[in-house]
Amino acid sequence: TITGKNYSLDDLNKIYRIRGDVVMVSKEDNLTIYGQASDANKITNVSKVYDRAYMAKITDEGDTLFMTADTLVSIDSEDASKKRILAYKNVRIFKNDLQGIADSLEYRIADSTLIFYKKPILWTSENQLSADSISILIENNTIKRMHLNSNAFVISEDTIIHDFNQIKGRKMTVDFENQKLNRVFVNGNAENIYYAIDEDDNSMMGMNKIICSRILIRFKDGKVDTFSSYV
């Protein structure tokens, strides 16, 4: 359903324009889009909302994903796998365990996958992630996995010594568990800077820098547990 203050309805061509306090609601998907202008085409099932547009998506667990952009586009379909929300220009996203900015974004409703385009920057807990594009799989209301494509870079603050561990490479897969880093695999042109901490007094023992082809890092309670590098 779409509501607003002023309506311009062309039922012959199935084109509907609404202006002023626009609210687009999809009860099936627990999804609401707000703005000041909307153009809807019932033939293509494409609806565009713009002018101070933002979206609120309520998850099954009661958490809410907020997103703003210059323009939001809803693509509806009887095939759930084809449902999309597209966001263009000045994208901002907020969730309890995820914040980010990007030029544009695609949200696949069926499998809760977010794809950020054109050098996005994301923040999760103590980590900042960036790449040419990033895709995120959300399961059970939390981030399950990220794919960082081209120029992947992750930086995280060590809360004990307040220095920054860094990982970079051509491509990167990041797995999460309980909202914390669980596994990072870097494939191609891998580099890592990591600060070693003395477990007895939490003092810094030194800095490790590794340059290789691939890196696999496993974490425990958000901290590095094992580290493997490959030529």
Side-chain angles (χ1 to χ4, degrees), residues 69-211:
D70 290 355
T71 302
L72 295 174
V73 177
S74 172
I75 302 175
D76 200 6
S77 175
E78 294 182 357
D79 184 350
S81 65
K82 295 181 180 180
K83 289 185 176 182
R84 298 284 193 276
I85 298 293
L86 308 178
Y88 298 102
K89 300 298 181 183
N90 300 313
V91 175
R92 302 286 187 273
I93 189 167
F94 176 84
K95 192 174 175 290
N96 279 342
D97 56 349
L98 173 68
Q99 300 82 44
I101 58 175
D103 173 82
S104 51
L105 176 147
E106 175 185 358
Y107 177 48
R108 299 176 181 174
I109 296 174
D111 58 3
S112 294
T113 297
L114 290 160
I115 305 175
F116 298 80
Y117 299 101
K118 294 189 178 180
K119 299 181 179 180
I121 302 174
L122 305 180
W123 294 271
T124 64
S125 185
E126 300 166 355
N127 311 296
Q128 177 178 297
L129 308 96
S130 61
D132 288 358
S133 66
I134 300 175
S135 62
I136 300 177
L137 175 63
I138 298 176
E139 288 185 359
N140 299 321
N141 197 36
T142 61
I143 299 169
K144 179 66 175 179
R145 176 170 297 162
M146 287 188 182
H147 294 283
L148 286 70
N149 304 304
S150 298
N151 299 310
F153 183 67
V154 175
I155 183 169
S156 59
E157 182 181 11
D158 190 299
T159 56
I160 297 175
I161 62 173
H162 301 292
D163 275 310
F164 294 90
N165 300 314
Q166 303 171 50
I167 310 169
K168 66 180 295 187
R170 186 165 60 244
K171 293 183 178 180
M172 195 179 305
T173 301
V174 182
D175 292 324
F176 288 82
E177 188 173 299
N178 299 322
Q179 301 184 13
K180 293 183 178 181
L181 285 175
N182 182 55
R183 178 182 178 274
V184 174
F185 177 66
V186 186
N187 188 7
N189 302 329
E191 295 184 35
N192 174 251
I193 294 176
Y194 175 71
Y195 291 89
I197 308 298
D198 190 310
E199 294 183 356
D200 294 329
D201 59 7
N202 291 330
S203 63
M204 186 176 71
M205 298 170 58
M207 183 192 75
N208 299 319
K209 181 174 182 179
I210 295 177
I211 299 175

